Amino acid sequence: GQIDAHEQEFTFFKWGCLKAINTKGLIIDLSYLEESIGVPLLGLIGYGMIFDTELVIDYTTKTIDVYKAPWLSRHKKQSPSMTVSFKLNYHFPVIHGSIKSQDIALAIDTGARSNLLCDIDKSLIFKAKKATYLVGVDQVLIPTNQVIIERTTIGDAHFAHLEYVLSHTANALAKQADFEGFIGGQFLKRWSKWAINYRKKEIYFWE
């Protein structure tokens, strides 16, 4: 979809150890997102601020830690339960897995509540759960379906049944960026915490 946005230059921005001077950002209406999550927002932090860092998202403590060189990976006193390599496509970290032994590429989207698949073979669907809808930054409601898919494998993690939302509208972006869907909160919150290292192009998961 499309949204109204205009570019503005900011003289100084700071988030934890990250700083930006005379940087440009987009001004957009985030009221729809504030209503959805029930939290007032000043803005969204994009890839341009975090491309040279390691981020640790801890769902137990509800914290985000940011590490920059030379302190990358110093937090890993406890070995991760799983490590997955990724490639960066159009600022999306893309990991590889499989569904019923069929190879699939999925982009990590921390802002997505659900896992999402684009056009797939209908034989992969184990069960259709219910009709639902997607809403993007343009605030347009898109009817879709929530389904259960059998035998998803990502790294060393195997899921007998995993929920996804089907989306035909994401096909253009997915084909351009060479992946078949998104991994969102439904997968990420299965772990107590996870981290992404943009320098090493690795994602770590802790049970």
Side-chain angles (χ1 to χ4, degrees), residues 59-164:
Y59 294 117
T60 304
T61 60
K62 293 183 172 58
T63 57
I64 299 177
D65 293 328
V66 184
Y67 294 85
K68 293 186 68 176
W71 299 283
L72 294 176
S73 298
R74 285 199 177 179
H75 66 283
K76 290 195 296 185
K77 297 178 182 178
Q78 177 187 359
S79 297
S81 306
M82 181 174 75
T83 300
V84 178
S85 299
F86 71 86
K87 292 183 178 180
L88 205 61
N89 291 357
Y90 290 86
H91 78 260
F92 287 109
V94 177
I95 62 178
H96 287 269
S98 65
I99 295 177
K100 284 188 175 180
S101 301
Q102 178 177 311
D103 292 339
I104 189 167
L106 298 167
I108 299 288
D109 186 355
T110 56
R113 181 177 300 174
S114 304
N115 306 317
L116 182 147
L117 287 176
C118 303
D119 277 341
I120 62 167
D121 187 338
K122 291 184 178 180
S123 67
L124 298 177
I125 298 175
F126 171 69
K127 180 181 179 181
K129 284 197 66 179
K130 62 179 180 180
T132 183
Y133 62 86
L134 296 172
V135 57
V137 291
D138 55 6
Q139 304 183 48
V140 175
L141 298 181
I142 303 169
T144 185
N145 292 292
Q146 189 177 44
V147 299
I148 296 177
I149 302 291
E150 284 188 299
R151 293 164 47 196
T152 298
T153 297
I154 297 173
D156 297 326
H158 307 279
F159 303 94
H161 300 96
L162 196 60
E163 290 185 6
Y164 293 87

